[in-house]
Amino acid sequence: MKQGENIVVGISIGDLNGIGGEIVLKTFEDSRMLDFCTPVIFASIKAMSFFKTHFNSGINFHSIQDLNNIVHNKVNVFNCWNEPAKIEFGVEDPKMGEFAIKSLEAGTKALKDSQVDVLVTAPINKHNIQSDTFNFPGHTDYLAKELDGDSLMFMITDDLRVGLLTDHVPVKDVAEHITPQLIEQKVNTVYDSLKRDFKIQKPKIAVLGINPHTGDNGVIGREDDEVLRPVLHKIKEQGKLVFGPYAADSFFGSNNYKNFDAIIASYHDQGLIPFKTLSFGQGVNFTAGLSKVRTSPDHGTAYEIAGKGIADENSFKEATFSAIQIFKNRVGFEALTKNPLKRAARNGRR
């Protein structure tokens, strides 16, 4: 982003047979969005024109072959492929998986090269993206490989943030994945993200237990007492406000979550079921801990409603706004923390 220019938002189009194209169109049909950002959709102008016709959209696209030709105040489409895409809404098609990966790879490269400032990813189908050259369970794992840092799935709204110790891990394997090193890494990633990305100076974090009732003193498992508690105690001794483990079954229903800046769940459904129950349609999936900003909506391809014109774009729109705000927060944080010794010396002379 150059001085005075909008933040450039890269958008990977996801599965063309899902609702990605529709929610992207609906988001940027509102011309006011161009006051906040400059979108670059990684797809093909043919595919986006198909969506425009199908959904009777009045949006106008600016087709580009070179990212140096991005035009502000326009909805740019960077052509990742030229071949026609046979779009059949609601159908799982390996070819659509190939297009989704082409879009994701092009968007990620542009992000790494700082040709876009942030990346917002439309939903993919985790099954049809698999191939000999792409073997990741989802966006988060791929981006963790491509971008510097320790990735963490961080589900966010204005007043609720839920991170995960383990994300796309089978339930039977969760306990063995939760090691002292992993706990410390994830807690520190959440802590640093709250400060850097959300402007919270002294974050307060809750951690949910691994077992029901946090093990009931070893009756229902020893992992909470033998693995989780000692690490949380160690982190707390470092001066960080980290509390737990809390029994997950009553934590959200009792509204205890409102007392914390973030909650860290031990596994996927433990965190995402309450998060989506409380915020579905408004939530955002943010990949914290990376050198670049990536967000996505909190839902999948929704094949069952694809093509019907009834998909709700609010979560995608919130993902776009969140990416913009987090990017701005990072710029501000880096400005504040740059050359701290020089700044301290200046303050001392006042």
Side-chain angles (χ1 to χ4, degrees):
M1 180 182 68
K2 296 178 182 178
Q3 187 71 27
E5 288 185 348
N6 273 351
I7 290 173
V8 179
V9 176
I11 298 163
S12 63
I13 197 61
D15 191 312
L16 297 173
N17 283 352
I19 63 171
E22 180 183 349
I23 59 178
V24 171
L25 279 184
K26 286 180 174 178
T27 295
F28 292 103
E29 279 175 345
D30 185 346
S31 60
R32 294 173 297 180
M33 291 295 294
L34 300 181
D35 295 333
F36 297 100
C37 66
T38 297
V40 180
I41 304 168
F42 291 89
S44 76
I45 193 63
K46 292 178 182 176
M48 296 312 299
S49 296
F50 172 86
F51 290 134
K52 176 179 176 177
T53 300
H54 181 86
F55 294 109
N56 194 28
S57 171
I59 198 168
N60 291 315
F61 298 117
H62 175 66
S63 177
I64 57 174
Q65 307 288 338
D66 186 332
L67 291 171
N68 291 316
N69 295 330
I70 293 171
V71 175
H72 292 276
N73 300 313
K74 297 283 187 182
V75 179
N76 299 268
V77 177
F78 178 79
N79 287 279
C80 303
W81 64 83
N82 292 316
E83 61 186 294
K86 186 180 179 183
I87 297 171
E88 297 179 273
F89 291 114
V91 176
E92 181 177 331
D93 183 349
K95 192 64 180 177
M96 298 300 108
E98 291 178 21
F99 288 134
I101 295 310
K102 285 182 180 181
S103 173
L104 176 60
E105 289 176 340
T108 303
K109 183 179 185 305
L111 186 65
K112 289 170 68 174
D113 294 343
S114 297
Q115 292 175 300
V116 299
D117 297 309
V118 300
L119 182 66
V120 183
T121 58
I124 54 174
N125 178 317
K126 292 179 176 63
H127 181 253
N128 72 12
I129 60 170
Q130 304 301 319
S131 69
D132 292 337
T133 57
F134 191 95
N135 186 21
F136 299 93
H139 285 115
T140 303
D141 304 87
Y142 170 73
L143 292 166
K145 172 181 170 291
E146 293 295 318
L147 303 172
D148 296 329
D150 295 317
S151 68
L152 175 134
M153 184 184 291
F154 208 6
M155 306 300 294
I156 61 173
T157 63
D158 287 341
D159 55 4
L160 176 61
R161 304 176 190 90
V162 176
L164 302 177
L165 290 181
T166 63
D167 41 52
H168 296 125
V169 173
V171 173
K172 66 182 179 65
D173 299 330
V174 165
E176 67 184 55
H177 275 75
I178 299 177
T179 63
Q181 294 79 13
L182 180 76
I183 297 164
E184 194 162 2
Q185 173 197 320
K186 297 296 186 182
V187 171
N188 287 334
T189 297
V190 168
Y191 185 88
D192 292 342
S193 178
L194 290 171
K195 293 184 69 174
R196 180 187 183 197
D197 301 326
F198 298 95
K199 300 172 66 174
I200 299 171
Q201 292 186 352
K202 196 68 174 175
K204 189 178 179 185
I205 300 169
V207 180
L208 303 183
I210 299 169
N211 295 298
H213 310 295
T214 63
D216 264 346
N217 297 313
V219 176
I220 318 177
R222 298 185 177 276
E223 290 85 357
D224 292 280
D225 290 336
E226 296 180 358
V227 182
L228 194 50
R229 289 184 196 277
V231 180
L232 297 185
H233 180 71
K234 174 185 173 183
I235 296 171
K236 198 168 183 179
E237 285 188 328
Q238 297 169 359
K240 295 175 180 175
L241 300 179
V242 178
F243 302 90
Y246 291 96
D249 60 348
S250 59
F251 185 82
F252 290 92
S254 65
N255 287 330
N256 197 12
Y257 72 94
K258 295 181 179 179
N259 297 317
F260 299 92
D261 298 304
I263 299 95
I264 301 177
S266 289
Y267 55 93
H268 186 278
D269 284 10
Q270 186 191 63
L272 267 65
I273 288 174
F275 178 86
K276 291 189 177 184
T277 300
L278 291 167
S279 64
F280 195 75
Q282 303 296 325
V284 173
N285 180 0
F286 165 48
T287 307
L290 298 181
S291 58
K292 301 285 187 177
V293 177
R294 173 263 173 168
T295 62
S296 73
D298 67 354
H299 57 73
T301 55
Y303 283 152
E304 66 278 7
I305 62 168
K308 296 179 180 180
I310 58 175
D312 187 339
E313 76 278 14
N314 282 325
S315 183
F316 186 88
K317 186 176 285 188
E318 287 298 325
T320 303
F321 285 137
S322 294
I324 293 167
Q325 189 58 57
I326 291 168
F327 180 84
K328 289 179 177 179
N329 288 347
R330 285 192 179 185
V331 170
F333 181 84
E334 287 164 12
L336 283 173
T337 55
K338 192 175 182 180
N339 297 325
L341 293 177
K342 291 183 179 179
R343 191 173 67 253
R346 285 198 303 271
N347 291 340
R349 289 195 298 267
R350 290 176 184 172

